[in-house]
């Protein structure tokens, strides 16, 4: 069997099915939320529809052929790819597929769509991979690494080494800095006593510091007293 023909068969099929779901109004809306993503690469499909389609695709024996065909043509193909990766329960396979896919992730929507099920029971093995992602030069690989710390390591698995790693990131990328702030705001809600020193001692950049305070003060998980205290810690020029 000609492998190239098999690959093109499933890729063409996926693209055709996605184009049938096109919503022009939603395309404009979602494109406006993803600056830097080529408008022509966005079809315009709501996430619930994509997730439903991904659940159908993941059952196919030839789905790896789709996953191996990178880069994808459409933004929605990337999201489908992300949703399929989420379903994989084999840790090593998930890591391998992620490391192939992450360099092609070019927006926050796709990046934030991946919380692989395999990670829940492999946090010890995941930690070294997160450190590699955060050391990357690719903005959305860094963002993904921070998000994994926020998703899986802020409860009983929390360690200040993780917060130190995030705190040490210095980036000019807006979507990296937003994730840093999101991480610390969430960490304040879950690990207040261990995280508040990062704010009191102003260990982050001024932008991340103030954005963390803003996001924490918007949270329902932060008490009124904590919010008032944080407000006094803002860096003013």
């Amino acid at each position: 069997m000609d492998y190239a023909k098999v690959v093109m068969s499933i890729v063409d099929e996926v693209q055709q099915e996605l184009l049938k779901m096109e919503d022009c109004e939603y395309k404009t809306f979602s494109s406006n939320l993803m600056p830097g993503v080529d408008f022509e690469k966005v079809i315009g499909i709501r996430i619930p529809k994509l997730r439903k389609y991904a659940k159908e695709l993941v059952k196919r024996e030839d789905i790896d052929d789709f996953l191996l065909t990178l880069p994808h043509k459409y933004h929605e193909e990337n999201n489908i790819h992300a949703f399929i990766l989420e379903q994989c329960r084999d840790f090593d396979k998930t890591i391998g597929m992620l490391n192939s896919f992450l360099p092609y992730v070019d927006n926050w929507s796709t990046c934030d769509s991946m919380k692989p099920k395999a990670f829940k029971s492999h946090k010890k093995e995941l930690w070294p991979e997160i450190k590699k992602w955060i050391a990357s030069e690719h903005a959305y690989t860094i963002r993904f690494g921070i998000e994994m710390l926020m998703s899986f390591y802020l409860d009983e698995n929390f360690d200040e080494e993780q917060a130190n790693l995030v705190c040490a990131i210095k980036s000019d990328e807006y979507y990296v800095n937003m994730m840093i702030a999101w991480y610390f705001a969430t960490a304040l809600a879950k690990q207040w006593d261990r995280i508040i020193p990062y704010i009191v001692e102003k260990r982050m950049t001024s932008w991340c510091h103030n954005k963390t305070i803003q996001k924490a003060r918007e949270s329902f998980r932060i008490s009124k007293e904590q919010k008032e205290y944080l407000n006094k810690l803002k860096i003013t020029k």
Side-chain angles (χ1 to χ4, degrees):
M1 182 178 292
D2 188 329
Y3 179 77
K5 289 183 179 178
V6 174
V7 172
M8 289 309 297
S9 175
I10 187 170
V11 170
D12 286 344
E13 182 181 337
V14 169
Q15 289 177 354
Q16 289 171 11
E17 289 301 314
L18 291 176
L19 288 168
K20 290 177 184 177
M21 295 184 251
E22 181 179 16
D23 180 333
C24 294
E25 183 176 341
Y26 188 71
K27 171 176 178 171
T28 300
F29 171 77
S30 59
S31 294
N32 289 337
L33 297 177
M34 298 182 294
V37 176
D38 187 345
F39 183 78
E40 296 305 318
K41 291 184 178 181
V42 179
I43 297 172
I45 306 172
R46 296 180 185 275
I47 295 300
K49 283 189 175 182
L50 286 176
R51 284 194 176 279
K52 182 178 180 181
Y53 184 42
K55 287 181 180 180
E56 296 173 7
L57 285 173
V58 77
K59 300 173 186 177
R60 290 182 52 156
E61 293 183 0
D62 58 349
I63 190 57
D64 283 356
D65 295 331
F66 170 76
L67 299 175
L68 289 169
T69 307
L70 293 165
H72 296 302
K73 181 177 180 179
Y74 295 111
H75 164 69
E76 283 79 4
E77 286 182 274
N78 281 333
N79 282 354
I80 286 285
H81 196 129
F83 299 151
I84 291 170
L85 285 181
E86 276 195 320
Q87 301 303 310
C88 182
R89 294 184 181 275
D90 183 306
F91 177 79
D92 291 332
K93 182 177 181 179
T94 301
I95 292 295
M97 291 193 297
L98 269 170
N99 286 333
S100 296
F101 180 54
L102 282 171
Y104 298 101
V105 175
D106 61 358
N107 66 90
W108 66 267
S109 175
T110 304
C111 181
D112 297 358
S113 293
M114 297 182 286
K115 291 184 178 62
K117 293 180 179 180
F119 290 176
K120 292 180 180 179
S121 57
H122 291 86
K123 296 186 181 71
K124 182 178 179 181
E125 299 92 335
L126 179 59
W127 170 232
E129 301 299 328
I130 289 175
K131 288 193 283 188
K132 293 176 187 176
W133 294 329
I134 287 179
S136 171
E137 295 183 356
H138 181 236
Y140 291 101
T141 300
I142 300 170
R143 182 179 171 99
F144 180 76
I146 302 169
E147 185 188 2
M148 293 304 97
L149 285 179
M150 184 175 71
S151 299
F152 297 109
Y153 294 86
L154 285 182
D155 295 304
E156 68 275 8
N157 297 291
F158 177 73
D159 188 289
E160 286 168 23
E161 181 183 359
Q162 300 152 8
N164 290 339
L165 185 66
V166 178
C167 188
I169 297 170
K170 298 295 182 288
S171 176
D172 295 326
E173 294 284 349
Y174 173 80
Y175 287 103
V176 170
N177 289 326
M178 277 298 297
M179 183 56 77
I180 293 171
W182 189 7
Y183 169 85
F184 275 102
T186 306
L188 282 169
K190 294 192 171 189
Q191 301 285 345
W192 175 270
D193 290 339
R194 299 171 74 179
I195 293 297
I196 192 61
Y198 291 84
I199 310 301
V200 173
E201 298 168 14
K202 299 179 173 64
R203 299 184 195 176
M204 289 178 277
T205 64
S206 296
W207 192 93
C208 289
H209 176 100
N210 284 341
K211 185 61 69 172
T212 295
I213 291 174
Q214 176 191 325
K215 293 182 75 66
R217 295 184 73 239
E218 292 170 353
S219 172
F220 292 112
R221 294 180 291 180
I222 302 288
S223 71
K224 179 180 177 181
E225 293 73 22
Q226 289 171 329
K227 291 178 182 181
E228 291 174 352
Y229 179 56
L230 286 170
N231 196 43
K232 297 175 182 178
L233 297 176
K234 289 191 296 186
I235 296 174
T236 56
K237 296 182 180 179

